[in-house]
Amino acid sequence: MASASPTRAKDIPAKIVVLGESAVGKSSLALRFVRRDFIPNQEATIGASFLSRSVSLVDESPPVTIKFEIWDTAGQERYRALAPMYYRGAAGALVVYDITSADSLRKAESWIGELRRNADPQTVVVLVGNKCDLESMRQVSIQQGQDLAEKEELLFYETSAKDGTNVDALFTNLGKTLLSRGVIASGVDRRSTMSRNLQPPGSRTPKSEQQKRCDC
Amino acid sequence: IVFCSFSFFANNCLFVLRGKGTRKKKSLLWTIPSTEGGVLLTWALSNGMSAHVAPDRLSELPQTEVQTVTSHVMINSSSFVTTGSNALRSDAKQQLDSPRRPQSTTLAARGDHLDAPPISSRRQQCHDRHDQDAFLGECFPSSSIHPLSEGALVTTSSSMFADDAVGGAMASPQQQQQHTSGAAGVGVGSSSPQPSASGVRRVVGRLRHFDEDGEDSNLRGHHRSHNTSSTAQQQRHHHHHHNQHHAAALSGPPPTGVFRTAAHPTAHTIPIPSPHGSSENWGMIRRFGFPCSQDSAVCDAEHHAYQTFIAHALANCESLWSAALRGVPLLANATDETNAPLRKLCLRCGIPGHLRGVVWLTLSGVALRLEENEMFCASLLHRFGVAPDAEAVDSIEKDIDRTFPQHPYYAQEFDVGQAKLRRVLHALCWRNPMLNYCQSFNFLAATLLLVTDDEDATFWLMVLLLETILPNDYYGEGLIGAKVDQEVVSEIIALELPTLAAHFDDIRFDVRALVPSWLLSMFVNVFPFDTVIRIWDVICTHADLTAYSRSGKKFGVTGAHHNHGLSPLSVSLFCAS
């Protein structure tokens, strides 16, 4: 398993932050990716927790291994005050909403706004509609999510941390996007995620490239 | 000679655990699951110990930053020393621009009628056992709502402690029954991506025993055996191992039997609290009733540590307490004089599980408030209904299901703990509308509930935590108190642990990122529950030092610390070694 292997020199670190309203499944999503596991009543996150997993992208040339360093944050409104510390200098940000809660999509919008204002402009933002296994309780259509992602020029996925739908695809494509946009690059030393200065601030993320349907 | 120094932070103070070479045997060993919180701690401790043993080993220590599976922590059971640094705190506070800092988060409605008068005005001497029993009856009019009365009676019953050894053996056999349930499951889901199998093997390999004079190998012979106790007395009692999680799911023996059975152990009698009953005493159970880790390596490591080390210390602690409590008034009858030696004992070895609730209530002064405000929580909710703020109600509902879901007490199917937890959290919203509900109150209250199993006791202990022990802006809007502590902790690390700070600097790791999850939940879900509760033993029992700061002198708090406005928590923890 990639994550069990020790950090090798050629691993490219990528700091990822997970944001969104409470109980939308941020921790579950991160745990699904890192441990391939799902716990129905995941304990509430206090402050933030850290997870990491290395993923090899074999179809890149040359093949590279990205080490995702994931900061999973607490969702309650009050903890928003702590968030800047986690999204500052992040290569990627997952803004998660719950497809069974229209409210959580509004919260996601405000997170996107905050990232636009305060985060590093090259941070790649991914809009993630989680819990897509709960189709019968859906309140947010795929179209709504896609529209928001297109408007804000974000990557968009619908995932299910419970059954694993799209979770690996999400991170793999995020990794590819980070590489292709030069947000992370092989050859830089590992401290680079904390102090990147590779592109001028003006280069905004291009139009949404990936829109995947939830196939559950 | 300082054998090892440094450990964990709370609020603006840094605990320094010190042990002397001659006291090795009193040290406790805990295994820590792979949580991010444990890493720094362990790193630092390993650092300290290795620096003593072999400076070269420093380089072997976690270079792979936070994902390293933690190994072990040694907690010296005899000396907790804290060095509070309030100058740092105020500096940091100035550095932070805090436009949104709330004025005061305590409720204006906190009238005097709600609060108990100072202890000094309410001193009652009640050394007679019968009087005390009668008093306890008054204190908890219905034993069905306050199982602590059961424990309290035990502590004052002379027959229980006729022989120290009986008292000492009381809890241990039960704790040993739980061996098969394995290891620390508290940190589940916290952090390390390393699926632990390999990591924990390293842990096991790295477990070092401080009794290197052969005691270790003697005990190892008993590994996994049924009779693991180190005293002959305990070995007379045969007990079966039971999986706690499973056993607790079944209906246990009658609640009243819990303590009595413990006094006269017989074969196959396993006093496991019933989830339906009203007298859970999770403190008597290994890991407080939390299921073991799914990782068998972690279970084994914990099991081994327990047998070689912790069981010993617990039995010792047990006998110290049974001696100290003889004829001592408890709960609202306690006085400063009778409390002082108990406080010292809390620092020295913590509190045995079955006494913890009573001792917390006694030494924190909450017993007085409880007596003054009978059924406070229930009547508050009866009068005002659910919390005033819809958003808070929503958050509470979201979090109730996500609070210790793996613990039988909070498992949904029983709904005992959840209902109590919900009421406490709602009542707290009424008490402190400015704080309202902040995530992590759920864990704090749930922890207290596990110890006390009583809404009112939990409510007043929470009030004590939020209004007396922690600065009152700690959980306010913007979490300003927590942000201050982020700065303070990183400053303390830079000052006290330059090597560690340099290492973090080297890998560009910002230690401030870890601090909120440690401090806001007061280490719950950061360390294994046993370790957490050991820390809380100190915090909860030294709180009234802050409210009645004159007694601070007893514990060596200097005037200078007071003058600089050392925060209540650090005062409460500041104690001469």
Side-chain angles (χ1 to χ4, degrees):
Chain A
M1 178 173 168
S3 65
S5 62
T7 307
R8 291 179 303 258
K10 63 179 177 179
D11 283 7
I12 309 168
K15 180 181 174 185
I16 309 291
V17 62
V18 190
L19 304 165
E21 213 203 343
S22 68
V24 295
K26 297 181 294 300
S27 302
S28 296
L29 192 68
L31 276 176
R32 163 59 74 181
F33 172 65
V34 170
R35 296 194 195 151
R36 294 157 192 188
D37 196 9
F38 177 76
I39 303 164
N41 275 321
Q42 175 64 33
E43 296 209 324
T45 307
I46 306 297
S49 62
F50 178 84
L51 304 104
S52 81
R53 180 183 160 190
S54 297
V55 171
S56 298
L57 300 177
V58 285
D59 46 351
E60 294 285 318
S61 57
V64 291
T65 303
I66 296 179
K67 184 183 168 215
F68 289 102
E69 301 174 338
I70 303 168
W71 282 99
D72 169 31
T73 63
Q76 208 197 10
E77 189 63 29
R78 202 164 302 188
Y79 285 83
R80 228 173 153 130
L82 299 174
M85 153 161 291
Y86 301 106
Y87 64 64
R88 202 175 295 137
L94 308 184
V95 177
V96 186
Y97 69 91
D98 172 359
I99 66 154
T100 67
S101 155
D103 220 33
S104 68
L105 184 69
R106 281 192 285 280
K107 202 54 86 52
E109 282 188 74
S110 77
W111 272 116
I112 294 164
E114 179 168 343
L115 287 171
R116 289 280 178 250
R117 283 190 303 276
N118 302 329
D120 195 333
Q122 20 171 11
T123 300
V124 175
V125 183
V126 189
L127 183 66
V128 182
N130 195 27
K131 308 196 188 177
C132 76
D133 52 299
L134 300 173
E135 191 59 51
S136 60
M137 294 159 70
R138 182 187 279 276
Q139 285 185 14
V140 182
S141 67
I142 297 179
Q143 195 57 45
Q144 279 173 286
Q146 276 177 350
D147 288 349
L148 178 63
E150 262 169 45
K151 192 179 92 190
E152 300 283 344
E153 302 179 335
L154 316 172
L155 305 185
F156 174 66
Y157 282 92
E158 280 204 351
T159 62
S160 166
K162 190 173 182 180
D163 58 26
T165 307
N166 268 350
V167 175
D168 280 351
L170 158 70
F171 280 93
T172 312
N173 279 305
L174 175 61
K176 284 178 182 166
T177 311
L178 291 175
L179 284 173
S180 68
R181 292 189 194 170
V183 181
I184 55 173
S186 41
V188 273
D189 71 328
R190 54 201 314 266
R191 62 192 57 173
S192 63
T193 48
M194 290 288 200
S195 56
R196 288 172 302 106
N197 195 12
L198 299 175
Q199 280 191 358
S203 61
R204 277 295 252 233
T205 50
K207 199 167 158 68
S208 169
E209 299 160 0
Q210 294 282 346
Q211 287 156 15
K212 290 257 169 122
R213 284 184 60 90
C214 172
D215 48 24
C216 54
Chain B
I1 300 163
V2 175
F3 171 65
C4 129
S5 67
F6 178 74
S7 181
F8 27 75
F9 330 91
N11 199 16
N12 60 343
C13 60
L14 168 68
F15 292 73
V16 180
L17 303 187
R18 290 201 302 203
K20 292 177 181 152
T22 52
R23 288 188 183 167
K24 280 178 187 174
K25 283 181 187 167
K26 286 181 186 165
S27 303
L28 288 176
L29 182 75
W30 305 90
T31 55
I32 282 198
S34 49
T35 69
E36 80 270 40
V39 173
L40 173 61
L41 176 64
T42 308
W43 196 93
L45 278 170
S46 318
N47 187 345
M49 293 194 293
S50 309
H52 178 73
V53 180
D56 301 339
R57 294 219 39 201
L58 196 60
S59 53
E60 298 169 20
L61 289 164
Q63 300 296 319
T64 53
E65 71 239 82
V66 191
Q67 62 166 288
T68 308
V69 175
T70 61
S71 56
H72 62 281
V73 170
M74 189 199 73
I75 292 184
N76 185 289
S77 57
S78 58
S79 60
F80 266 54
V81 183
T82 66
T83 57
S85 168
N86 197 62
L88 284 175
R89 186 177 171 84
S90 48
D91 284 355
K93 207 150 189 162
Q94 281 162 11
Q95 281 167 17
L96 279 177
D97 72 350
S98 51
R100 284 194 296 160
R101 191 182 168 196
Q103 293 298 310
S104 164
T105 46
T106 46
L107 172 59
R110 179 189 169 187
D112 283 339
H113 63 285
L114 295 183
D115 292 308
I119 288 176
S120 52
S121 70
R122 299 192 33 80
R123 265 175 212 168
Q124 297 170 34
Q125 296 298 329
C126 187
H127 289 284
D128 184 276
R129 177 167 66 88
H130 299 293
D131 283 2
Q132 192 160 42
D133 285 2
F135 170 74
L136 285 168
E138 287 168 27
C139 206
F140 307 113
S142 155
S143 65
S144 69
I145 64 157
H146 206 306
L148 277 176
S149 55
E150 192 77 32
L153 287 170
V154 169
T155 66
T156 54
S157 155
S158 57
S159 65
M160 292 297 293
F161 295 121
D163 181 350
D164 270 5
V166 173
M170 208 164 74
S172 304
Q174 290 148 18
Q175 283 158 338
Q176 287 169 8
Q177 290 157 19
Q178 312 303 331
H179 280 170
T180 48
S181 29
V186 185
V188 174
S190 266
S191 86
S192 172
Q194 302 224 4
S196 314
S198 63
V200 172
R201 241 167 265 132
R202 259 188 293 145
V203 170
V204 180
R206 280 212 273 168
L207 280 175
R208 247 176 293 162
H209 308 293
F210 301 95
D211 313 52
E212 284 166 347
D213 46 10
E215 193 172 344
D216 173 16
S217 51
N218 290 340
L219 281 164
R220 196 172 288 155
H222 294 287
H223 190 60
R224 284 277 178 210
S225 75
H226 284 235
N227 294 319
T228 55
S229 39
S230 50
T231 68
Q233 175 151 21
Q234 286 166 335
Q235 286 179 356
R236 283 205 295 272
H237 309 306
H238 293 261
H239 292 283
H240 277 232
H241 294 198
H242 282 256
N243 182 310
Q244 158 52 19
H245 190 63
H246 182 62
L250 306 168
S251 61
T256 48
V258 170
F259 296 99
R260 306 270 142 73
T261 334
H264 310 285
T266 51
H268 312 303
T269 311
I270 296 115
I272 288 169
S274 149
H276 298 288
S278 58
S279 67
E280 288 89 346
N281 195 335
W282 299 103
M284 320 251 315
I285 297 171
R286 284 286 295 283
R287 262 170 285 98
F288 263 77
F290 283 94
C292 69
S293 166
Q294 289 175 346
D295 191 326
S296 61
V298 174
C299 291
D300 288 348
E302 189 203 54
H303 180 74
H304 188 67
Y306 185 86
Q307 294 204 331
T308 53
F309 224 77
I310 297 170
H312 234 22
L314 285 179
N316 188 28
C317 182
E318 188 75 42
S319 62
L320 285 172
W321 273 97
S322 60
L325 282 178
R326 233 188 243 128
V328 168
L330 287 171
L331 296 172
N333 290 336
T335 64
D336 280 1
E337 285 70 35
T338 58
N339 281 347
L342 300 185
R343 277 208 181 89
K344 283 192 176 159
L345 207 47
C346 291
L347 290 169
R348 184 170 170 190
C349 71
I351 306 170
H354 62 109
L355 300 173
R356 184 168 279 121
V358 179
V359 173
W360 279 13
L361 294 179
T362 306
L363 298 187
S364 63
V366 164
L368 288 170
R369 283 184 161 187
L370 267 179
E371 197 197 21
E372 287 292 306
N373 307 287
E374 239 172 61
M375 304 288 287
F376 183 85
C377 217
S379 53
L380 188 75
L381 291 177
H382 180 71
R383 209 165 140 196
F384 297 109
V386 295
D389 177 7
E391 204 176 310
V393 176
D394 200 39
S395 300
I396 291 173
E397 281 313 307
K398 272 183 190 167
D399 285 351
I400 293 257
D401 282 348
R402 305 194 294 160
T403 308
F404 299 146
Q406 76 278 29
H407 194 287
Y409 190 59
Y410 295 107
Q412 280 163 308
E413 55 262 45
F414 302 128
D415 215 39
V416 189
Q418 287 204 353
K420 288 185 180 179
L421 181 60
R422 184 177 289 117
R423 286 198 290 271
V424 170
L425 294 176
H426 280 280
L428 279 169
C429 287
W430 283 111
R431 167 89 185 179
N432 259 333
M434 295 283 288
L435 286 183
N436 219 333
Y437 170 74
C438 179
Q439 261 184 351
S440 80
F441 287 2
N442 56 333
F443 287 118
L444 302 183
T447 305
L448 292 169
L449 260 181
L450 279 183
V451 173
T452 62
D453 189 36
D454 177 71
E455 286 165 49
D456 281 303
T458 303
F459 175 79
W460 288 110
L461 281 165
M462 279 298 283
V463 166
L464 181 86
L465 274 180
L466 300 178
E467 296 174 14
T468 309
I469 298 179
L470 293 165
N472 65 2
D473 55 5
Y474 216 76
Y475 295 96
E477 279 308 320
L479 297 174
I480 196 74
K483 285 172 128 184
V484 168
D485 274 356
Q486 286 185 323
E487 305 297 326
V488 171
V489 169
S490 64
E491 285 281 318
I492 289 176
I493 290 175
L495 284 178
E496 301 280 330
L497 295 162
T499 323
L500 183 65
H503 176 69
F504 283 143
D505 223 33
D506 195 41
I507 61 169
R508 293 290 172 112
F509 174 71
D510 189 350
V511 71
R512 289 179 300 173
L514 291 178
V515 176
S517 55
W518 296 8
L519 298 187
L520 287 170
S521 59
M522 295 187 70
F523 307 111
V524 175
N525 279 358
V526 175
F527 299 135
F529 202 81
D530 287 338
T531 311
V532 172
I533 218 76
R534 178 70 180 80
I535 301 169
W536 283 45
D537 277 348
V538 179
I539 294 171
C540 289
T541 57
H542 288 71
D544 76 321
L545 282 186
T546 62
Y548 310 100
S549 53
R550 59 194 155 72
S551 34
K553 284 177 191 161
K554 281 187 210 156
F555 286 82
V557 178
T558 62
H561 282 94
H562 274 297
N563 295 342
H564 289 101
L566 199 64
S567 96
L569 179 58
S570 51
V571 173
S572 73
L573 294 170
F574 192 96
C575 185
S577 58

